[in-house]
Coordinates of all heavy atoms in Angstrom, one line a residue:
F1 N 35.1 -2.9 53.7 CA 35.9 -3.4 52.6 C 35.2 -3.3 51.3 O 35.7 -3.0 50.2 CB 36.4 -4.8 52.8 CG 37.4 -4.9 54.0 CD1 37.3 -6.0 54.9 CD2 38.3 -3.9 54.3 CE1 38.2 -6.1 55.9 CE2 39.2 -4.0 55.3 CZ 39.1 -5.1 56.2
L2 N 33.9 -3.6 51.3 CA 33.0 -3.5 50.1 C 33.0 -2.1 49.6 O 33.1 -1.8 48.4 CB 31.6 -4.0 50.4 CG 30.6 -3.9 49.3 CD1 31.1 -4.7 48.1 CD2 29.2 -4.3 49.7
F3 N 32.8 -1.1 50.5 CA 32.8 0.3 50.1 C 34.1 0.7 49.5 O 34.1 1.3 48.4 CB 32.5 1.1 51.4 CG 32.8 2.6 51.2 CD1 32.3 3.3 50.1 CD2 33.6 3.3 52.2 CE1 32.6 4.7 50.0 CE2 33.9 4.6 52.0 CZ 33.4 5.3 50.9
L4 N 35.2 0.4 50.1 CA 36.5 0.7 49.6 C 36.8 0.0 48.2 O 37.3 0.6 47.3 CB 37.6 0.4 50.6 CG 37.6 1.2 51.9 CD1 38.7 0.7 52.8 CD2 37.7 2.7 51.6
G5 N 36.4 -1.3 48.2 CA 36.6 -2.0 47.0 C 35.8 -1.5 45.8 O 36.3 -1.4 44.7
L6 N 34.6 -1.1 46.0 CA 33.8 -0.5 44.9 C 34.4 0.9 44.5 O 34.5 1.1 43.3 CB 32.3 -0.3 45.4 CG 31.5 -1.5 45.5 CD1 30.1 -1.2 46.2 CD2 31.3 -2.2 44.2
F7 N 34.7 1.7 45.5 CA 35.2 3.0 45.2 C 36.6 2.9 44.4 O 36.8 3.6 43.4 CB 35.4 3.8 46.5 CG 35.6 5.3 46.3 CD1 34.6 6.1 45.9 CD2 36.8 5.8 46.5 CE1 34.8 7.5 45.7 CE2 37.0 7.2 46.4 CZ 36.0 8.0 45.9
I8 N 37.5 2.1 45.0 CA 38.8 2.0 44.3 C 38.7 1.2 43.0 O 39.3 1.6 42.0 CB 39.7 1.2 45.3 CG1 39.9 2.0 46.6 CG2 41.1 1.0 44.6 CD1 40.5 1.2 47.7
G9 N 37.9 0.2 43.0 CA 37.8 -0.6 41.8 C 37.2 0.2 40.6 O 37.7 0.1 39.5
A10 N 36.2 1.0 40.9 CA 35.7 1.9 39.8 C 36.7 2.9 39.4 O 36.8 3.2 38.2 CB 34.4 2.6 40.4
G11 N 37.5 3.4 40.3 CA 38.5 4.4 39.9 C 39.6 3.8 39.0 O 40.0 4.4 38.0
L12 N 40.0 2.5 39.4 CA 41.0 1.9 38.6 C 40.5 1.5 37.2 O 41.2 1.6 36.2 CB 41.5 0.6 39.3 CG 42.3 0.8 40.6 CD1 42.5 -0.5 41.3 CD2 43.6 1.5 40.3
Y13 N 39.2 1.1 37.2 CA 38.6 0.8 35.9 C 38.6 2.0 34.9 O 39.0 2.0 33.8 CB 37.2 0.2 36.1 CG 36.4 0.1 34.8 CD1 36.7 -0.9 33.9 CD2 35.4 1.1 34.4 CE1 36.0 -1.0 32.6 CE2 34.8 1.0 33.2 CZ 35.0 0.0 32.3 OH 34.4 -0.1 31.1
F14 N 38.0 3.1 35.5 CA 37.9 4.3 34.6 C 39.3 4.9 34.3 O 39.5 5.5 33.2 CB 37.1 5.4 35.4 CG 35.6 5.1 35.4 CD1 35.0 4.8 36.6 CD2 34.9 5.1 34.2 CE1 33.6 4.6 36.6 CE2 33.5 4.8 34.2 CZ 32.9 4.5 35.4
Q15 N 40.3 4.7 35.2 CA 41.6 5.1 34.9 C 42.2 4.3 33.7 O 42.9 4.9 32.8 CB 42.5 4.9 36.1 CG 43.9 5.6 36.0 CD 44.7 5.4 37.3 OE1 45.0 4.4 37.8 NE2 45.0 6.6 37.9
S16 N 41.9 3.0 33.7 CA 42.4 2.2 32.6 C 41.7 2.6 31.3 O 42.3 2.3 30.2 CB 42.1 0.7 32.9 OG 40.7 0.4 32.9
Q17 N 40.6 3.2 31.4 CA 39.8 3.6 30.2 C 40.2 5.0 29.7 O 39.7 5.6 28.7 CB 38.3 3.6 30.4 CG 37.8 2.2 30.7 CD 38.0 1.2 29.6 OE1 37.7 1.4 28.5 NE2 38.6 0.0 30.0
G18 N 41.2 5.6 30.5 CA 41.6 7.0 30.2 C 40.7 8.1 30.5 O 40.7 9.2 29.9
V19 N 39.7 7.8 31.4 CA 38.7 8.8 31.8 C 39.4 9.8 32.7 O 40.1 9.4 33.7 CB 37.5 8.2 32.4 CG1 36.5 9.2 32.9 CG2 36.9 7.2 31.5
D20 N 39.1 11.1 32.5 CA 39.6 12.2 33.4 C 38.9 12.0 34.8 O 37.8 11.7 34.9 CB 39.3 13.5 32.8 CG 40.2 13.8 31.6 OD1 41.2 13.2 31.5 OD2 39.8 14.7 30.8
Y21 N 39.7 12.3 35.8 CA 39.2 12.3 37.2 C 38.5 10.9 37.5 O 37.4 10.8 37.9 CB 38.2 13.4 37.5 CG 38.8 14.8 37.4 CD1 38.8 15.5 36.2 CD2 39.4 15.3 38.5 CE1 39.3 16.8 36.1 CE2 40.0 16.6 38.5 CZ 40.0 17.3 37.3 OH 40.5 18.5 37.2
A22 N 39.3 9.8 37.1 CA 38.8 8.5 37.2 C 38.2 8.1 38.5 O 37.2 7.4 38.6 CB 39.9 7.5 36.8
F23 N 38.9 8.5 39.6 CA 38.5 8.1 40.9 C 37.3 8.9 41.5 O 36.9 8.7 42.6 CB 39.7 8.2 41.9 CG 40.6 7.1 41.8 CD1 41.6 7.0 40.8 CD2 40.6 6.0 42.7 CE1 42.5 6.0 40.7 CE2 41.4 4.9 42.6 CZ 42.4 4.9 41.6
Y24 N 36.8 9.8 40.6 CA 35.6 10.6 41.0 C 34.4 10.3 40.1 O 33.4 11.0 40.2 CB 36.0 12.1 41.0 CG 37.1 12.4 42.0 CD1 38.4 12.2 41.7 CD2 36.8 12.8 43.3 CE1 39.4 12.5 42.6 CE2 37.8 13.1 44.2 CZ 39.1 12.9 43.9 OH 40.1 13.1 44.8
Q25 N 34.5 9.3 39.3 CA 33.4 9.0 38.4 C 32.2 8.3 39.2 O 31.1 8.5 38.9 CB 33.8 8.1 37.3 CG 34.8 8.7 36.3 CD 34.2 10.0 35.7 OE1 33.2 10.0 35.1 NE2 35.0 11.1 35.8
L26 N 32.6 7.4 40.1 CA 31.6 6.8 41.0 C 31.5 7.6 42.3 O 32.5 7.5 43.1 CB 31.9 5.3 41.3 CG 31.0 4.6 42.2 CD1 29.6 4.5 41.6 CD2 31.5 3.2 42.6
P27 N 30.5 8.3 42.5 CA 30.4 9.1 43.7 C 30.5 8.3 45.0 O 29.9 7.2 45.0 CB 29.0 9.8 43.6 CG 28.7 9.8 42.2 CD 29.3 8.5 41.6
S28 N 31.2 8.7 46.0 CA 31.4 8.0 47.2 C 30.1 7.7 47.9 O 29.9 6.6 48.5 CB 32.3 8.7 48.2 OG 31.8 10.0 48.4
V29 N 29.1 8.6 47.8 CA 27.8 8.4 48.4 C 27.0 7.2 47.8 O 26.1 6.7 48.4 CB 27.0 9.7 48.4 CG1 27.7 10.7 49.3 CG2 26.8 10.2 47.0
I30 N 27.3 6.9 46.5 CA 26.7 5.8 45.9 C 27.5 4.5 46.2 O 26.9 3.5 46.5 CB 26.7 6.0 44.3 CG1 25.9 7.3 44.0 CG2 26.0 4.8 43.7 CD1 24.5 7.3 44.5
A31 N 28.8 4.6 46.2 CA 29.6 3.4 46.5 C 29.3 2.9 47.9 O 29.5 1.7 48.2 CB 31.1 3.8 46.4
I32 N 28.9 3.7 48.8 CA 28.7 3.3 50.2 C 27.4 2.6 50.4 O 27.2 1.9 51.4 CB 28.9 4.4 51.2 CG1 29.2 3.9 52.6 CG2 27.7 5.3 51.2 CD1 29.5 5.0 53.6
L33 N 26.4 2.8 49.5 CA 25.1 2.2 49.7 C 25.1 0.7 49.8 O 24.4 0.1 50.7 CB 24.1 2.7 48.6 CG 23.8 4.2 48.6 CD1 22.9 4.6 47.4 CD2 23.2 4.7 49.9
P34 N 25.7 0.0 48.9 CA 25.8 -1.5 49.0 C 26.4 -1.9 50.3 O 26.0 -3.0 50.9 CB 26.6 -2.0 47.8 CG 26.5 -0.9 46.8 CD 26.4 0.4 47.6

C-alpha cells in the first residue's frame, strides 16, 4: 500500500500541477524503495 500510495500520490500531485506524463515523474523503482 505504501508503494502504491507513493506512486499514485506523486502522479496525482504532478497532474494537479499540469505536468506532462504526471504519473511517470516518480519512477516506480524509486517509489518501491520505502
Side-chain angles (χ1 to χ4, degrees):
F1 294 143
L2 176 61
F3 166 49
L4 296 178
L6 288 173
F7 192 72
I8 298 164
L12 292 174
Y13 169 76
F14 287 116
Q15 189 176 61
S16 69
Q17 300 299 309
V19 177
D20 291 337
Y21 297 93
F23 282 81
Y24 296 85
Q25 295 303 306
L26 176 64
S28 56
V29 294
I30 301 302
I32 200 173
L33 295 180

